[in-house]
């Protein structure tokens, strides 16, 4: 049965309206009050992408759509994705009711409002004597024939408004990768327009998503996206992307290998800050080359350790070889310290070059037009500068 065919029997129209945008056209659609048991979660919702990914990789299969078992499994994913936000929303709904209507398809699939629906389901179980309803717009569309239109609508509703509780950064990356890169359901331009982002911002996120996929392939975990979420890779991948923009193209693969080694061995501490040290090393080709060679050798050891295993099993095997983490850390520390020493050596030259640059910027015509007080102050400053330079020269001569 379609929801709109059930008016008066589990579905009631309200006086409310919800503003919707389709193909850049704004319309106001009626809001319906719908029995909770007539609805089911959207298994294609980006918010739960990595949770469903883990569930299936562990050998499980979702029950048939609309079943109580199906809804209970997805409900658990929704709760685990952000329990703090869920409890906050639940308390608010219990206190003042559902303020923001959701969006559902005519067959009961929830396109927007999965979190609110979860809260209502939980409240219904806690207080069974009080009947709860989900208020939503009903779209006369289906997920198969209108997949692109529905995805764009979902992106607009979930990411196009600042007040929305955002997804996990990795879940968002996974959705972006699937929709734009893998399945080519929508373009970068369409994604940007729909999510109130710039094209450049979306392109950066696409590149970050590609790096995520490459790292998972590195540890034999092709598209096991939940690992990226559990390792909290958003910050490290952003840092890697920034480093790659500033190194020669022929060094990009080697830099990726070094960073993937760091991620694979799980060095303790702030991983993003650790990876940032490579940016310092990359400024000095001599130390970078040595660092890269060491990381290549470590990479071979990591891949040998993984063997035929994949995903979490591969990471577990790496963790049982603590000497790999020690080698990665030792190589990184040595290269970073060498780069810092080189930087320290160059500081005096850098400073004297700046002094010369500043002195050359002095316009004597302006100096000659200064009043007596400021002219005297300038001359005094110039005298002190000369004295400082003479002192440096005398110390240099004394050390020769």
């Amino acid at each position: 049965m379609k929801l709109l065919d059930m008016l008066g029997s589990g579905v009631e129209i309200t006086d409310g309206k919800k503003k919707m945008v389709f193909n850049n056209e704004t319309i106001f659609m009626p809001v319906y009050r719908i029995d909770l048991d007539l609805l089911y979660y959207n298994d294609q919702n980006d918010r739960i992408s990595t949770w469903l990914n883990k569930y299936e990789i562990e050998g499980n299969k979702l029950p048939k759509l609309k079943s109580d078992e199906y809804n209970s499994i997805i409900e658990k994913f929704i709760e685990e994705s952000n329990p703090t936000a869920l409890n906050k929303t639940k308390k608010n709904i219990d206190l003042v009711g559902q303020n923001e209507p959701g969006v559902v398809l005519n067959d009961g699939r929830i396109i927007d409002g999965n979190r609110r629906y979860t809260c209502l389901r939980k409240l219904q179980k806690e207080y069974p004597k009080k009947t709860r309803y989900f208020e939503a717009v009903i779209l006369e569309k289906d997920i198969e024939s209108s997949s692109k239109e529905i995805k764009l609508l979902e992106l607009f509703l979930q990411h196009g408004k600042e007040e929305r509780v955002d997804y996990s950064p990795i879940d968002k990356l996974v959705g972006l990768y699937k929709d734009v890169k893998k399945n080519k359901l929508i373009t970068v331009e369409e994604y940007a327009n729909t999510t109130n982002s710039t094209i450049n911002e979306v392109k950066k996120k696409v590149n970050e998503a590609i790096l995520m996929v490459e790292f998972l392939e590195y540890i034999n975990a092709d598209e096991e996206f939940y690992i990226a979420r559990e390792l909290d890779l958003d910050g490290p991948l952003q840092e890697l992307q920034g480093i790659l923009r500033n190194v020669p193209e022929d060094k990009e693969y080697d830099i990726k290998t070094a960073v993937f080694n760091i991620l694979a061995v799980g060095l303790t501490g702030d991983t993003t800050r650790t990876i940032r040290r490579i940016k310092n090393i990359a400024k000095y080709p001599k130390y970078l080359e040595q660092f890269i060679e060491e990381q290549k050798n470590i990479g071979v050891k990591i891949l040998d350790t993984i063997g035929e295993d994949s995903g979490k099993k591969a990471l577990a095997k790496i963790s049982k070889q603590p000497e790999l983490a020690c080698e990665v850390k030792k190589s990184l520390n040595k290269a970073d310290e060498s780069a810092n020493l080189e930087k320290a050596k160059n500081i005096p030259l850098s400073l004297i070059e700046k002094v010369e640059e500043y002195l050359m910027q002095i316009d004597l015509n302006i100096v000659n037009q200064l009043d007596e007080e400021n002219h005297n102050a300038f001359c005094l400053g110039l005298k002190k500068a000369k004295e400082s330079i003479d002192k440096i020269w005398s110390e240099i001569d004394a050390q020769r």
Side-chain angles (χ1 to χ4, degrees):
M1 290 289 289
K2 301 297 185 183
L3 294 178
L4 291 174
D5 294 333
M6 302 177 67
L7 287 173
S9 180
V11 179
E12 302 288 344
I13 193 167
T14 72
D15 295 331
K17 300 284 185 181
K18 181 178 176 68
K19 184 171 74 172
M20 303 286 289
V21 179
F22 295 99
N23 299 320
N24 294 320
E25 180 183 356
T26 301
I27 60 175
F28 289 86
M29 298 187 66
V31 174
Y32 295 84
R33 186 177 293 115
I34 309 167
D35 283 359
L36 299 183
D37 59 5
L38 296 177
L39 301 169
Y40 68 100
Y41 288 105
N42 180 16
D43 59 336
Q44 298 181 34
N45 182 359
D46 290 346
R47 190 187 297 277
I48 61 167
S49 59
T50 59
W51 302 88
L52 181 56
N53 174 252
K54 181 179 182 181
Y55 181 80
E56 293 177 337
I57 284 172
E58 289 177 345
N60 302 300
K61 185 177 180 181
L62 276 179
K64 67 177 182 178
L65 297 177
K66 304 185 183 182
S67 68
D68 290 338
E69 187 182 2
Y70 167 90
N71 270 349
S72 295
I73 291 170
I74 302 294
E75 179 183 284
K76 185 179 179 182
F77 296 158
I78 296 288
E79 185 173 12
E80 290 178 345
S81 69
N82 196 331
T84 302
L86 184 74
N87 286 329
K88 182 178 179 181
T89 303
K90 178 170 166 259
K91 289 178 182 178
N92 188 64
I93 290 177
D94 190 29
L95 185 65
V96 300
Q98 181 187 344
N99 285 327
E100 179 69 22
V103 178
V104 303
L105 301 185
N106 205 8
D107 70 346
R109 183 188 290 263
I110 299 171
I111 298 303
D112 177 57
N114 287 277
R115 191 193 300 278
R116 281 159 280 165
Y117 178 60
T118 300
C119 294
L120 288 165
R121 280 171 55 89
K122 287 185 169 296
L123 288 169
Q124 184 69 79
K125 292 171 187 174
E126 291 178 17
Y127 309 102
K129 292 183 178 180
K130 183 177 181 180
T131 304
R132 305 279 179 168
Y133 303 93
F134 186 63
E135 294 188 352
V137 165
I138 300 175
L139 302 182
E140 295 187 71
K141 300 178 184 297
D142 63 78
I143 200 76
E144 287 79 21
S145 62
S146 304
S147 58
K148 179 175 181 176
E149 186 177 5
I150 290 170
K151 172 55 69 172
L152 290 173
L153 174 63
E154 182 184 354
L155 288 171
F156 171 76
L157 292 169
Q158 296 297 336
H159 303 307
K161 298 181 179 181
E162 291 181 0
E163 68 271 16
R164 288 291 191 188
V165 177
D166 208 352
Y167 291 6
S168 137
I170 294 298
D171 281 318
K172 196 171 180 179
L173 274 187
V174 173
L176 177 62
Y177 172 75
K178 288 181 177 179
D179 294 333
V180 175
K181 191 69 179 176
K182 181 181 178 181
N183 300 327
K184 301 189 185 319
L185 181 64
I186 55 180
T187 66
V188 167
E189 291 75 16
E190 288 171 332
Y191 191 98
N193 291 335
T194 305
T195 59
N196 196 27
S197 307
T198 67
I199 291 176
N200 191 45
E201 287 171 340
V202 175
K203 285 182 177 179
K204 285 181 180 179
K205 282 299 178 182
V206 169
N207 290 335
E208 186 182 333
I210 292 171
L211 291 174
M212 172 185 66
V213 170
E214 290 177 348
F215 168 69
L216 293 175
E217 291 173 349
Y218 188 74
I219 59 169
N220 286 349
D222 294 17
E223 297 200 3
E224 295 188 32
F225 298 116
Y226 74 95
I227 292 176
R229 171 177 52 77
E230 292 182 354
L231 293 179
D232 197 17
L233 293 188
D234 181 52
L237 292 175
Q238 287 187 44
E239 195 64 41
L240 171 57
Q241 191 174 181
I243 295 171
L244 293 176
R245 285 198 294 267
N246 295 293
V247 298
E249 189 173 342
D250 63 337
K251 293 289 184 279
E252 288 184 2
Y253 179 83
D254 297 326
I255 295 294
K256 289 179 189 178
T257 298
V259 171
F260 291 169
N261 287 346
I262 292 171
L263 298 177
V265 301
L267 293 182
T268 57
D270 187 334
T271 307
T272 301
R273 191 181 296 274
T274 298
I275 293 170
R276 191 173 298 151
R277 296 169 69 187
I278 297 177
K279 186 184 295 184
N280 183 44
I281 299 168
K283 296 175 184 177
Y284 304 95
K286 178 173 63 174
Y287 304 121
L288 179 63
E289 286 295 335
Q290 185 177 359
F291 174 69
I292 284 174
E293 286 305 311
E294 291 171 351
Q295 291 298 319
K296 283 180 180 178
N297 293 331
I298 296 171
V300 171
K301 294 179 183 179
I302 288 175
L303 297 181
D304 286 342
T305 300
I306 292 174
E308 296 299 318
D309 285 313
S310 63
K312 295 304 285 289
K313 286 184 178 180
L315 291 176
K317 288 182 74 173
I318 294 170
S319 68
K320 292 178 181 178
Q321 302 291 332
E323 64 273 12
L324 291 174
C326 289
E327 282 192 57
V328 170
K329 187 174 183 179
K330 181 179 178 181
S331 172
L332 179 65
N333 286 343
K334 182 176 70 173
D336 191 32
E337 289 168 4
S338 297
N340 286 332
L341 285 173
E342 193 71 26
K343 182 179 179 180
K345 291 177 184 178
N346 292 333
I347 286 176
L349 178 60
S350 176
L351 289 175
I352 200 65
E353 287 175 347
K354 287 181 180 179
V355 169
E356 181 184 11
E357 180 183 344
Y358 291 148
L359 288 173
M360 294 301 294
Q361 291 177 15
I362 296 174
D363 190 333
L364 295 180
N365 291 323
I366 295 177
V367 172
N368 291 330
Q369 294 176 24
L370 295 173
D371 58 38
E372 184 176 357
E373 181 179 355
N374 285 320
H375 190 276
N376 290 338
F378 173 81
C379 291
L380 179 61
L382 192 62
K383 181 181 178 182
K384 288 182 178 179
K386 183 177 182 302
E387 290 172 351
S388 296
I389 291 173
D390 289 342
K391 183 179 179 181
I392 292 172
W393 269 120
S394 62
E395 291 182 5
I396 289 175
D397 289 339
Q399 293 177 13
R400 285 181 177 175

